[in-house]
Amino acid sequence: MNILVTGAAGFIASHLCETLVNKGHKVYGIDNFNNYYDTKLKRLNATDLNAKGVEIFEIDLNDDLSKVFEINYDYIYHLAAQPGISATTSLEEYVTNNIYATQNLLDFVLKYNPDLKMFVNIATSSVYGLEATVDETVPPQPVSFYGATKLAAEQLVLALSRTQKLKSCSIRLYSVYGPRERPEKLYTMLVENLFNNKPFPLFEGSEKHERSFTYVGDIVEGLSAIIGKEDKIDGEIINLGTDEVNTTGQGIDLVQKIMDKKLLIDHKPPRKGDQQRTAAVIDKARKLLDYSPKTSFEEGLKEQVKWYKEKFID
């Protein structure tokens, strides 16, 4: 089948592209290679994907996408977004890249690809608010621009399912980590700073934050399991993560153990909008997608350290 993945050169999307190719699908990607973080990493990912036969359209989702839709797709996985919680990212950027971009993509799908089997929106546990410890029936209470705009994008997608214009679902992800994680995210930054003996910025109280740290390989297996289940999950919101919970402090200790190095800490004041606790409730994913995360926290972190060393140290 033909499958389009947005944000293809990014962290999770690049792994998803590889998994889909390995399952025998023809995969296309979209990425605008913006400078939210150093494009070097995305270019490395894109090179790996090109070698596996993934064709990537370098285009912004807010632009004219008619060239992209010269191909008829069976599935679209929408991962492109303005990510994270950043004091330097304006509300306008979140709205433009999460809401407007999603709607523009949907408009082109309806015009050029109305026979799409399923539009898979990738959302986030940040929509739940400071405590993401509930199932999908609990009303969201986002506390950040990121969470609020991702919730709005989710609703734009699901509205097309409710009006029977397009089959769609939305998958809310929990604290994904692993090889290719963005450079400003916890574990890539942690590994980099340990390798280079640089102080690690630790926001006050964050070492006690509880997270459903989920290995990227488990996440993409769950996402790929959607294929063939479009009738079963049309209109559904599904949490995807792990029900194992660890603190940020435990993660830091584990990486120090794996690398056999001691971290230098640069203490920072608390960061506004940070979730205090996430604990993924994944009963629905188990039932509908036969989802079962298998990678232990230590095993996943070892893979991330190994990847960083191979790409940036050796």
Side-chain angles (χ1 to χ4, degrees):
M1 282 183 283
N2 289 338
I3 300 176
L4 178 67
V5 178
T6 72
F11 167 37
I12 302 170
S14 62
H15 284 281
L16 177 61
C17 287
E18 288 183 336
T19 295
L20 293 172
V21 167
N22 291 339
K23 291 180 182 293
H25 303 293
K26 176 59 180 173
V27 180
Y28 300 84
I30 296 178
D31 205 294
N32 66 356
F33 294 90
N34 70 21
N35 60 359
Y36 174 75
Y37 59 89
D38 189 349
T39 58
K40 176 183 176 183
L41 177 55
K42 285 179 279 193
R43 294 293 178 187
L44 283 172
N45 295 343
T47 298
D48 290 343
L49 293 179
N50 291 153
K52 293 181 178 293
V54 178
E55 179 181 346
I56 298 177
F57 297 96
E58 188 166 342
I59 190 170
D60 193 289
L61 285 177
N62 285 293
D63 293 339
D64 182 352
L65 303 178
S66 54
K67 180 180 179 182
V68 176
F69 284 94
E70 290 175 358
I71 299 160
N72 195 63
Y73 303 103
D74 297 289
Y75 292 84
I76 293 176
Y77 285 86
H78 178 39
L79 289 90
Q82 183 68 49
I85 299 169
S86 171
T88 61
T89 305
S90 67
L91 174 59
E92 181 181 6
E93 289 174 283
Y94 284 112
V95 170
T96 298
N97 295 320
N98 293 346
I99 299 177
Y100 291 160
T102 298
Q103 187 57 53
N104 192 52
L105 175 61
L106 291 170
D107 288 342
F108 274 88
V109 172
L110 292 173
K111 183 176 180 180
Y112 292 100
N113 206 157
D115 56 346
L116 186 76
K117 292 181 179 180
M118 172 66 73
F119 187 102
V120 182
N121 179 67
I122 305 304
T124 169
S125 65
S126 292
V127 304
Y128 290 118
L130 292 175
E131 297 278 339
T133 60
V134 295
D135 68 19
E136 298 87 346
T137 64
V138 174
Q141 300 181 36
V143 295
S144 63
F145 292 157
Y146 172 62
T149 54
K150 286 294 286 179
L151 178 60
E154 175 180 88
Q155 291 304 307
L156 288 173
V157 172
L158 294 177
L160 296 181
S161 176
R162 297 183 193 117
T163 54
Q164 299 183 329
K165 293 178 182 177
L166 193 68
K167 286 183 178 178
S168 67
C169 65
S170 190
I171 311 298
R172 294 174 177 172
L173 305 185
Y174 283 72
S175 302
V176 188
Y177 73 97
R180 299 179 185 159
E181 187 180 44
R182 299 196 315 267
E184 89 284 4
K185 294 285 284 180
L186 173 61
Y187 291 110
T188 297
M189 186 184 295
L190 184 59
V191 172
E192 177 188 5
N193 287 21
L194 277 166
F195 266 122
N196 295 293
N197 298 310
K198 296 194 307 184
F200 178 79
L202 187 66
F203 296 99
E204 182 182 339
S206 64
E207 71 279 3
K208 298 178 182 177
H209 291 172
E210 296 179 347
R211 293 285 185 269
S212 287
F213 292 117
T214 313
Y215 186 64
V216 65
D218 290 326
I219 288 291
V220 299
E221 283 299 323
L223 294 176
S224 65
I226 290 169
I227 295 173
K229 299 182 176 70
E230 53 271 10
D231 292 331
K232 191 176 182 181
I233 64 172
D234 182 27
E236 297 286 356
I237 294 170
I238 303 173
N239 293 338
L240 210 61
T242 178
D243 44 15
E244 176 186 345
V245 175
N246 290 277
T247 66
T248 298
Q250 287 173 318
I252 291 173
D253 289 344
L254 197 49
V255 174
Q256 289 182 111
K257 173 189 168 186
I258 291 167
M259 296 181 63
D260 193 24
K261 296 192 75 172
K262 185 69 174 175
L263 186 66
L264 302 173
I265 301 292
D266 178 16
H267 294 281
K268 300 285 187 182
R271 184 168 62 170
K272 184 179 178 181
D274 259 344
Q275 288 179 304
Q276 303 301 308
R277 184 169 186 258
T278 71
V281 179
I282 56 175
D283 296 351
K284 193 173 184 179
R286 292 186 191 278
K287 179 180 178 182
L288 295 181
L289 301 177
D290 195 26
Y291 172 70
S292 180
K294 296 178 173 62
T295 309
S296 73
F297 194 27
E298 182 168 4
E299 181 185 358
L301 287 175
K302 283 180 178 178
E303 286 298 314
Q304 186 157 353
V305 171
K306 177 183 175 184
W307 162 79
Y308 190 91
K309 186 178 180 182
E310 288 175 349
K311 289 293 185 182
F312 300 104
I313 303 299
D314 289 349

